[in-house]
Amino acid sequence: MIFLMDLQMMLLDVIYFILRNSVRVVLRPRTKPIDGELVLITGAGGGLGRLFAQEFTKHGADVVLWDINSSSNEQTAKLVREMGGKAHTYTVDVTNREDVYRNAELVRKDLGRDVTMLVNNAGVVAGERMLDCPDELMERTMKVNCHALFWTVKAFLPQMKAQNHGHIVTIASVLGLFSTACVEDYCASKFAAVGFHESLAHELLAEEVEGVKTTLVCPYIVDTGMFDGCKIEELELLLPPLEPQYCVEQAMNAILIDQPLVCIPRLTYLPFLSRLLPWESNVVVYRFMGSDKCMYPFIDTMRKQVSNTSIKVA
Ligand SMILES: NC(=O)C1=CN([C@@H]2O[C@H](COP(=O)(O)OP(=O)(O)OC[C@H]3O[C@@H](n4cnc5c(N)ncnc54)[C@H](OP(=O)(O)O)[C@@H]3O)[C@@H](O)[C@H]2O)C=CC1
Ligand SMILES: CC1=C(/C=C/C(C)=C/C=C/C(C)=C/C=O)C(C)(C)CCC1
C-alpha cells in the first residue's frame, strides 16, 4: 500500500516537473542575483571563457581567471577591468592536479574568501583522424576536458558544501550527448565530462546539499575558431554555427535560473533522443544529413594550421 502511494507521488512529481519545465520555456523564472559571488573560470583566455568573464562581471560578480596562456588571460582581465569589474588572473595548467590544488590555495590566501561558482570551460580537441592522431594529443584531450574537472571540483567543492552555497558549471558539448565521425578523442572526453557532471549532481542531491547547484551546458558548434571548417552544408540555414555571444547568453540564462541542463540551440535536444532508435537508423539519418562527414573539412583546416605553424617555427 505504502509502495503504491510512493509510486503515485513519484509519478505526480514526474508530471509536475515536465509541465513546469515546459512552462519555463515561455515564462522565464526569476534569475538569482550573483553580485558579490566569486566566480572561477577555466580557459578564461579563450573564446567562450572570455565572454563568460564579461557576462559574470555584468551581473556584478568578481572573477578569478585561470588559463594556461598568461597573455590571453591578462587580456581578458583587462577587458573585465575596463568594465569596472574585479578580475584576478592565475596561470594554471588544469591538467596538472598539483598546479590546480596549489593555485586553489593561492586564490584562497590572496582573496581571503572562497570561490562560490566554478565554471569548468577549458577545452581542447586533437583535430585528427583516430589512426593519424598522436597518442599524446588524445591523452591531452582526456586530461583537459575530463580529468581537469576532477581536480577543480575536488579543490573547490568542499568549501561550497561547508557553506551549503555554490554552483558548479560544466561546459561540455552536444558531442557529449551524441557523436559523429573523426572526433573520437573529443567525444570520449565530453561523454566522460557529462557522466562526471551528472553523477556529481546526483551525489549532491542524494546528500541533500540543496544549496550547491549544478548546470551542464551542451552547445552545438560555436564560432570561436575551435572547430573552424566543421559544417553541414545541407543544414546551414537551419543550424548555423552559434555566435559565441549568443551561446554564452543562453548558458548564463540557464545558470541564473539554476537550470540543470541546457542544450544550445534547443533543436539539438532532438539528436540526443536518437538513442531510442536502432543504430542503423541513426546511420541512415547521419548519411542523409551529411553529418557523418561534417568533420572532414575541420580536419583539413587543422592540418593546414599545424603545417603553417611548423613552417613559421622552422
Ligand atoms: N567552439 C565550439 O564549437 C564549442 C566549444 N565547446 C566547449 O566550450 C569550451 C570553450 O571552447 P572555446 O572557447 O571554443 O575554445 P578556445 O580554444 O577558444 O578556448 C579554450 C581556452 O582553454 C585554454 N586551455 C587549453 N588547455 C588548457 C589547460 N591545460 N589549462 C588551462 N587552460 C587551458 C586555452 O588556452 P590556449 O589557447 O593557450 O590553448 C583557451 O584559452 C570548451 O570546453 C569546448 O570544448 C562546446 C561546444 C562547441
Ligand atoms: C551528428 C548529428 C548532427 C551534427 C552535429 C554536429 C556536427 C555537432 C558538432 C558539434 C560540435 C563541433 C561541438 C563542439 O563541442 C545534427 C545535424 C545536429 C543532427 C544529426 C546528428
Side-chain angles (χ1 to χ4, degrees), residues 159-228:
Q159 310 101 57
M160 293 186 195
K161 279 177 85 170
Q163 307 288 326
N164 192 24
H165 175 80
H167 202 135
I168 308 264
V169 180
T170 304
I171 311 302
S173 166
V174 292
L175 293 183
L177 301 172
F178 58 86
S179 61
T180 184
C182 300
V183 269
E184 289 82 0
D185 62 315
Y186 192 75
C187 282
S189 69
K190 291 295 184 180
F191 271 67
V194 169
F196 167 74
H197 179 100
E198 290 194 351
S199 176
L200 176 67
H202 280 302
E203 179 173 327
L204 291 170
L205 291 171
E207 290 177 354
E208 297 183 16
V209 187
E210 306 278 345
V212 180
K213 308 295 181 186
T214 58
T215 299
L216 176 64
V217 181
C218 293
Y220 176 66
I221 313 168
V222 192
D223 218 347
T224 57
M226 187 180 190
F227 278 91
D228 258 1

Side-chain angles (χ1 to χ4, degrees), residues 89-103:
T89 54
Y90 295 82
T91 304
V92 186
D93 176 356
V94 290
T95 66
N96 179 334
R97 61 175 186 266
E98 297 310 331
D99 209 18
V100 168
Y101 297 150
R102 196 175 39 251
N103 278 283

Side-chain angles (χ1 to χ4, degrees), residues 125 145 171-176 178-181 183 186 190 218-222 226-227 230-232 235 239 267-268 270-272 274 282 285-287 289-292 294-295 298:
V125 57
N145 298 3
I171 311 302
S173 166
V174 292
L175 293 183
F178 58 86
S179 61
T180 184
V183 269
Y186 192 75
K190 291 295 184 180
C218 293
Y220 176 66
I221 313 168
V222 192
M226 187 180 190
F227 278 91
C230 166
K231 65 171 171 216
I232 308 175
L235 289 179
L239 260 182
L267 205 55
T268 52
L270 285 179
F272 177 30
S274 66
N282 279 309
V285 175
Y286 274 42
R287 279 199 187 132
M289 288 182 166
S291 45
D292 55 339
C294 61
M295 289 294 167
F298 158 64

Side-chain angles (χ1 to χ4, degrees), residues 1-52:
M1 189 62 189
I2 293 181
F3 170 77
L4 284 180
M5 278 168 63
D6 280 352
L7 181 68
Q8 198 181 12
M9 286 304 289
M10 187 270 287
L11 290 175
L12 283 175
D13 276 351
V14 169
I15 294 167
Y16 164 74
F17 284 115
I18 292 173
L19 290 176
R20 191 197 68 171
N21 282 21
S22 316
V23 171
R24 275 181 163 197
V25 174
V26 189
L27 298 175
R28 305 289 303 162
R30 274 162 64 127
T31 56
K32 66 177 177 188
I34 55 160
D35 48 309
E37 301 283 348
L38 188 59
V39 186
L40 188 142
I41 303 164
T42 69
L48 299 185
R50 177 170 292 171
L51 292 172
F52 272 118

Side-chain angles (χ1 to χ4, degrees), residues 123-142:
V124 292
V125 57
E128 270 292 359
R129 279 160 197 255
M130 175 71 193
L131 295 183
D132 298 330
C133 189
D135 296 349
E136 301 71 37
L137 269 194
M138 302 197 81
E139 231 162 35
R140 182 186 70 142
T141 307
M142 288 307 291

